[in-house]
Amino acid sequence: MKNQLPQGFRYLPGYFSRQQQEELVELVRAGIKTAPFYQPRMPKTGQPTSVIMSNFGELGWVSEKSGYRYDPLHPKTAEHWPKIPQELLDLWGDVTSWPQNPQSCLINWYREGSRLGLHIDASEQAKDAPIVSVSLGDQALYRIGGLHRNDPTRSFKLSSGDVLVLADTARHCYHGVDRIYDGTSTLIPKGGRINLTLRVVR
Ligand code: SIN
Ligand code: FE2
C-alpha cells in the first residue's frame, strides 16, 4: 500500500494523435483571438503567476488579487469566453460518465520556467464531478499526492496528447506541475506547454 496513485486517477498517455493535437492548438489559437491570455495574480499578495491563462466555456476560472472565482466574463475584455470546442466535449463524453457537460475549460500556458505549486481544485460547487485535463506541447513533470498537503506524492512526466482524469478520491487530491522540459515538443509554435482543464462548476 505504499504511495499508490489515488483511487479515481486515470492516466491516458497518447490519447490524442499528433494531428488531433495540432487541431486542438488551432482551436486554442482561435479562442484567444477573442479571449486573449492574461496574466493572473495570486490572491492577497497580487504576485503574478508564472502561468498565463484564458478559458473556454460559460464560466472561466479567474485569479486576481481580489481572489479566485468563476466568471462568465474575461477579466480584461469583459467579454464572454468562447464556447468549449466540440472536440473537448467529445473527450469528456468518452472518458467520463458524468451526466453533465463541463461548463469551464481553463487554458493554462506554461512558458519556459513556469510551474504550478501543489494545490487542490476547490473553487467548484460540483465537488464530485470529475476533472479532465489535456497536455499539449512541451513535457511537464506532474506531481500528485493525497488528500492532505503532506501526504507522499508521485511524479511522472506528461507528454503532448496525454489525458488525465481525476475522479472520485483523486478529484480531491493535491497536485501540481514542478517543471516544464523546455523544447521537448514542436507542437506549439511559440513553445511551452498548454494544459486544458475541463470542469463542471455547479
Ligand atoms: C492544474 O492543476 O490546474 C493544471 C495541471 C496541469 O497543468 O497539468
Ligand atoms: Fe489543479
Side-chain angles (χ1 to χ4, degrees), residues 37-41 48-54 61 63 106-111 113-117 177 180 193-195:
F37 282 109
Y38 77 99
Q39 172 86 68
R41 305 269 158 181
T49 63
S50 60
V51 183
I52 59 173
M53 299 183 186
S54 185
W61 188 83
S63 178
L106 176 64
I107 308 170
N108 280 347
W109 186 13
Y110 300 78
R111 293 159 305 165
S114 295
R115 53 188 304 284
L116 186 69
V177 174
I180 301 299
R193 169 177 186 262
I194 289 175
N195 176 258

Side-chain angles (χ1 to χ4, degrees), residues 106 108 116-117 119-121 131 142 166 173 175-176 195 197 199:
L106 176 64
N108 280 347
L116 186 69
H119 66 279
I120 41 176
D121 292 9
I131 291 174
Y142 182 88
L166 281 75
C173 288
H175 59 277
N195 176 258
T197 308
R199 298 192 185 95

Side-chain angles (χ1 to χ4, degrees), residues 56-178:
F56 293 117
E58 60 205 73
L59 292 169
W61 188 83
V62 170
S63 178
E64 290 188 304
K65 194 169 191 292
S66 54
Y68 310 126
R69 65 177 186 279
Y70 276 99
D71 199 312
L73 304 180
H74 190 291
K76 304 295 176 204
T77 67
E79 299 282 345
H80 286 278
W81 308 98
K83 280 201 164 66
I84 300 181
Q86 188 58 42
E87 288 78 349
L88 294 172
L89 298 178
D90 291 346
L91 165 69
W92 180 268
D94 186 34
V95 301
T96 80
S97 49
W98 196 255
Q100 249 177 307
N101 267 339
Q103 291 136 347
S104 179
C105 175
L106 176 64
I107 308 170
N108 280 347
W109 186 13
Y110 300 78
R111 293 159 305 165
E112 192 178 355
S114 295
R115 53 188 304 284
L116 186 69
L118 215 57
H119 66 279
I120 41 176
D121 292 9
S123 320
E124 299 75 28
Q125 282 162 252
K127 291 203 181 316
D128 294 318
I131 291 174
V132 174
S133 111
V134 182
S135 292
L136 296 168
D138 284 342
Q139 289 182 313
L141 187 62
Y142 182 88
R143 180 198 291 267
I144 181 140
L147 296 171
H148 306 284
R149 183 174 283 281
N150 293 328
D151 288 347
T153 62
R154 281 189 53 178
S155 295
F156 50 99
K157 264 191 201 179
L158 293 180
S159 298
S160 196
D162 293 356
V163 167
L164 292 183
V165 183
L166 281 75
D168 305 327
T169 306
R171 168 67 181 81
H172 307 285
C173 288
Y174 278 86
H175 59 277
V177 174
D178 289 337

